[in-house]
């Protein structure tokens, strides 16, 4: 039995997707990846508390006041120091450069709260995605987990799940339903899939 793939989760906010990963690990459904490190670009991110409670090491790398290059150097140094092989962006609100994503080709996955290619790319993050979906009037939205490359939300799709829009939805009610019905399910499942494939390729 090969040891699970050392995984870092990058966060910026509440960390409910990180929690879904922690819960999947505790339930034994996430077994091919080990959650080894959580990095936040925000000191105040509640995700850090979730990580600490679960006994996962945490680091903060603030982006403000740094060049993109310097920021990525600091993140990269932590990943290397901790022997990280897979990276999950779980509500991480910084865009990574092509130089960074190339270094971790097929090793970074992201969860996005829409059915890509709708409502994605630069400027579409968090509640803004749901505001745009409601403004457009789509009847179905959802979430996507994809590999991260140099194009924002442009990498190969790993999993998607559709979610119905309901009468009277607000961006907040829709965000919550998309998380509950889609993100918290397909993110742990995608991480398990990618990590299991990585382990199989090493056998
Ligand atoms: C989630 O809905 C996630 O899909 C979204 O931000 C939220 C973070 O919530 N990410 C993006 O919009 C990235 N483009 P969380 O901190 O509770 O996981």
């Amino acid at each position: 039995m090969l040891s699970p793939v050392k995984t870092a989760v990058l966060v910026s906010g509440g960390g409910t997707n990180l929690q879904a990963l922690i819960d999947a690990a505790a339930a034994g459904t996430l077994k091919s990846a080990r959650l080894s490190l959580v990095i936040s670009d925000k000191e105040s991110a509640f995700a850090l508390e979730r990580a600490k409670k679960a006994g996962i090491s945490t680091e903060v790398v603030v982006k403000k006041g740094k060049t993109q290059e310097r920021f990525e150097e600091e993140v990269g140094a932590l990943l290397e120091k901790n022997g990280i092989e897979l990276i999950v962006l779980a509500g991480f609100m910084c865009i990574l450069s092509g130089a960074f994503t190339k270094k971790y080709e097929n090793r970074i996955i992201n969860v996005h709260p829409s059915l890509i290619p709708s409502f994605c790319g630069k400027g579409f993050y968090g509640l803004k995605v749901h505001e745009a979906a409601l403004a457009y009037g789509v009847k179905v939205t959802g979430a996507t987990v994809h590999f991260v490359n140099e194009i924002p939300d442009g990498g190969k799709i790993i999993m998607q799940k559709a979610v119905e829009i309901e009468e009277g939805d607000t961006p907040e009610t829709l965000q919550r339903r998309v998380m509950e019905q889609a993100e918290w399910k397909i993110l742990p499942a995608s991480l398990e899939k990618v990590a299991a494939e990585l382990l199989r390729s090493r056998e």
Side-chain angles (χ1 to χ4, degrees), residues 68-81:
Q68 181 75 16
E69 210 181 350
R70 178 78 200 138
F71 173 69
E72 290 180 355
E73 263 170 28
E74 289 182 18
V75 171
L78 288 171
L79 298 174
E80 274 175 35
K81 188 177 135 203

Side-chain angles (χ1 to χ4, degrees), residues 13-17 90-91 93 111-113 124-126 179 183:
T16 64
N17 279 288
M93 297 306 177
V111 61
H112 182 77
F124 286 101
Y125 57 87
M179 283 175 158
E183 295 184 52

Side-chain angles (χ1 to χ4, degrees), residues 3-42:
S3 53
V5 180
K6 279 189 154 191
T7 303
V9 186
L10 273 53
V11 297
S12 299
T16 64
N17 279 288
L18 167 66
Q19 191 65 52
L21 296 174
I22 292 169
D23 294 347
T29 50
L30 177 61
K31 48 186 186 296
S32 303
R34 177 184 305 129
L35 305 175
S36 306
L37 178 66
V38 169
I39 303 178
S40 173
D41 67 314
K42 300 262 180 321

Side-chain angles (χ1 to χ4, degrees), residues 74-91:
E74 289 182 18
V75 171
L78 288 171
L79 298 174
E80 274 175 35
K81 188 177 135 203
N82 288 276
I84 298 300
E85 300 161 284
L86 258 185
I87 302 164
V88 180
L89 308 185

